[in-house]
Every structure is written in C-alpha cells, then in structure tokens.
Amino acid sequence: MRADRSSEPPPRRVGAEALRRLRWRSRRGLLENDLLIGRFLERQADALDPADADVLARLLDLSDAELLELLLGRRQPAGDLDAPAVRDLLVRLGGGPPLGNG
C-alpha cells in the first residue's frame, strides 16, 4: 500500500531575502572561497532549506583561511561545527563524495 503524500506540506525553502544576504556574505577576501561558495549557491540555492542556510551562515562567520581549509577538506570541523549538518553541507559545497567514502 502506497502512502498518500498529498497531505504532506511542501519542504520549506529559504526566502529570496535570506538568499540575497547569504550571497552578499559569501563575497570573501579569498577568490577560492568566492568561487566555491558562489558556484554552490548557483547550483543549489533553490534547494536550500532554512537549516542549510543556518549552517552556511555559521561557516561564513569563520575567517577566510579557516573556511578555505574546511572547504578543501584539509581540516575537519571541530567544536561547535563538528555536527552532521555541517559535514553534509561541506560535502555539498565541495561537490565531492563524503569524507571517508573514498
């Protein structure tokens, strides 16, 4: 028996104003960060949910050097950033397979 999904609410998406703010904040001092985050937003902005936007905002609070190290996989998230949602978004930002699944 198939579950009737017509009663499920549509997934929540990030609003246009929140996306505009994220795009503005993603303009960084390091060109590499600009390119990686900018391309991610071009590809996936319409699919971002509020939780993804919150994680991205937390990543954008980091210094350019710290952010680049995470985006390139040279460093693993630590402390408050060591969470599944952060790791998932970092994988999506890099466009590669999850770490450890070589």
Side-chain angles (χ1 to χ4, degrees):
M1 183 171 173
R2 267 177 74 188
D4 181 15
R5 297 180 191 258
S6 62
S7 63
E8 290 181 12
R12 288 183 48 215
R13 299 292 177 227
V14 176
E17 181 63 22
L19 279 174
R20 186 190 65 73
R21 276 189 246 117
L22 283 172
R23 282 190 173 102
W24 178 255
R25 288 191 62 206
S26 71
R27 297 175 59 181
R28 307 296 295 215
L30 287 177
L31 178 60
E32 293 86 348
N33 286 341
D34 285 349
L35 293 173
L36 290 169
I37 297 168
R39 287 179 183 156
F40 168 78
L41 288 172
E42 286 173 18
R43 288 188 324 261
Q44 297 196 23
D46 292 338
L48 283 181
D49 63 30
D52 292 331
D54 289 344
V55 170
L56 183 55
R58 289 175 58 201
L59 290 172
L60 292 172
D61 287 339
L62 298 172
S63 72
D64 284 337
E66 290 174 307
L67 179 58
L68 185 60
E69 291 292 305
L70 288 171
L71 292 174
L72 296 178
R74 293 180 185 160
R75 192 179 91 159
Q76 298 301 308
D80 292 343
L81 292 176
D82 189 8
V86 174
R87 291 179 182 278
D88 176 62
L89 190 65
L90 286 170
V91 167
R92 291 166 50 204
L93 276 159
L99 299 172
N101 288 353

